Amino acid sequence: MNNTTETPVTVIGLGRMGQALASTFLKAGHPTTVWNRTASKADQLVAEGALLAPTVSDALKSGSLTIVCVTDYQAMHRLLGADDIELDGMTLVNLTSGDSAQAREAAQWAEQRGARYLDGAIMAIPPAIGTAEATILHSGPQADFEAHKATLDALGTVTYLGADHGLASLYDVAGLAMMWSVLNAWLQGTALLRTAGVDAVTYAPFAQQIAAGVAEWLPRHAEQVDSSSFPAEVASLETHVRSMAHLIEESEAVGVNTELPKLIKAMADRAIAAGHGGEQYSVLIEEFSQPRND
Ligand SMILES: NC(=O)c1ccc[n+]([C@@H]2O[C@H](COP(=O)([O-])OP(=O)(O)OC[C@H]3O[C@@H](n4cnc5c(N)ncnc54)[C@H](OP(=O)(O)O)[C@@H]3O)[C@@H](O)[C@H]2O)c1
């Protein structure tokens, strides 16, 4: 594969994200063919130099690499599953958001039609595309990723996770879980401090410092998770739970929401009831690793 900026690229789906992707390829110098159900969304891209294909089939024929970015996998299957669509010999990079099962199923579906398939997940907003802040995750056959990495690099910080097509989706949601956990913890603390007249901006640098400090613990906790051995090197789960009770009491006393602290404590209480009170916090992986739907 010729990995210069002359490599032709096709982008199918020109919503907010697809337009950013196509525009970035154009700016990087790639001949870029585009297609969208609502053709008018290609107007600006055509003005920037994109070629608007009249049909999906024509769009696919224009480039050896096709990026698909539509609302969901159903839309992707509807578009590319039509009888007249020839996928044999194509490389598809599907940057549509979905879950890991959809990604694996789509990979099988595409490969049965003779296409090479990489699944991807975009961890960025459209304006960040083309900058280092845009993390774009890929999974699928490594050789296919390597063949197109130089082209995909135009989009941001492009990462390869492994051969299992489901990995990009799984990392995507794992990252979201991290993001919401940090934000929710910060909001809980902010709500508490505002009752004492401390505004969010004043508290934020302290919260940032705590979040960064806790992030430093992850590699050691991860070793414990991988070895299923949780000696309380720093603090036992019982010690944590006493502090959780304090957080709930303080939240109740000042009249802020207690749902999140209670949820956290309920999980830790169950682990203690199962005999893990003397172990390190990471023993909670056992709670997180089993379904619980109530
Ligand atoms: N925007 C973000 O910040 C962001 C960030 C990360 C990931 N993503 C992911 O990127 C993907 C696209 O998001 P977006 O923000 O670009 O969404 P969007 O602006 O709503 O655009 C949706 C795109 O999907 C097309 N589409 C939907 N159903 C279709 C169908 N049945 N047949 C053909 N085309 C269909 C739309 O075509 P029409 O124009 O004709 O309606 C449009 O091109 C999603 O999976 C989203 O989760 C977005």
Side-chain angles (χ1 to χ4, degrees):
M1 173 58 51
N2 176 8
N3 278 324
T4 70
T5 54
E6 284 157 26
T7 307
V9 179
T10 292
V11 178
I12 292 179
L14 302 175
R16 292 165 195 85
M17 187 53 84
Q19 289 184 39
L21 299 172
S23 176
T24 302
F25 281 128
L26 281 167
K27 286 191 188 102
H30 292 280
T32 304
T33 300
V34 295
W35 184 89
N36 194 55
R37 180 178 60 179
T38 309
S40 59
K41 289 191 188 170
D43 290 351
Q44 176 60 31
L45 293 163
V46 169
E48 291 171 26
L51 182 73
L52 174 62
T55 65
V56 177
S57 183
D58 291 311
L60 284 163
K61 284 177 197 144
S62 299
S64 51
L65 176 65
T66 295
I67 310 291
V68 184
C69 188
V70 289
T71 303
D72 52 26
Y73 278 64
Q74 270 178 322
M76 195 264 305
H77 283 295
R78 221 172 287 146
L79 275 179
L80 301 184
D83 289 342
D84 60 328
I85 301 289
E86 183 61 66
L87 294 182
D88 196 23
M90 305 286 166
T91 298
L92 299 178
V93 178
N94 185 18
L95 298 183
T96 302
S97 301
D99 63 36
S100 58
Q102 287 175 317
R104 292 183 187 121
E105 193 263 328
Q108 223 175 2
W109 170 86
E111 283 162 8
Q112 276 164 2
R113 282 157 186 77
R116 298 174 182 284
Y117 181 91
L118 288 164
D119 205 86
I122 301 173
M123 301 189 72
I125 54 172
I129 299 299
T131 73
E133 280 104 76
T135 295
I136 305 182
L137 309 173
H138 295 83
S139 50
Q142 186 163 9
D144 295 333
F145 174 76
E146 296 299 340
H148 296 284
K149 182 177 182 303
T151 302
L152 295 169
D153 272 342
L155 299 178
T157 302
V158 167
T159 304
Y160 176 72
L161 299 168
D164 175 354
H165 286 92
L167 285 176
S169 298
L170 286 170
Y171 269 78
D172 188 20
V173 288
L176 292 172
M178 180 64 81
M179 179 186 80
W180 287 318
S181 296
V182 172
L183 287 173
N184 287 337
W186 169 68
L187 289 168
Q188 181 79 40
T190 299
L192 279 167
L193 281 158
R194 276 174 13 132
T195 67
V198 179
D199 59 21
V201 168
T202 304
Y203 170 55
F206 179 85
Q208 238 178 326
Q209 201 183 329
I210 299 288
V214 173
E216 295 285 322
W217 303 353
L218 297 186
R220 179 62 196 131
H221 278 54
E223 283 172 8
Q224 291 195 337
V225 168
D226 285 345
S227 62
S228 297
S229 164
F230 309 97
E233 294 165 354
V234 181
S236 70
L237 190 58
E238 272 164 351
T239 302
H240 280 281
V241 164
R242 279 193 289 276
S243 300
M244 289 173 189
H246 182 56
L247 170 61
I248 294 167
E249 285 156 17
E250 186 73 87
S251 298
E252 275 167 352
V254 299
V256 304
N257 195 298
T258 57
E259 285 170 286
L260 182 63
K262 282 181 177 164
L263 173 66
I264 296 165
K265 183 168 179 296
M267 294 185 87
D269 283 341
R270 282 199 300 272
I272 289 174
H276 298 298
E279 295 176 89
Q280 188 125 300
Y281 198 85
S282 46
V283 73
L284 284 181
I285 188 62
E286 292 174 10
E287 288 296 321
F288 278 94
S289 299
Q290 50 190 314
R292 192 176 174 100
N293 300 317
D294 54 58

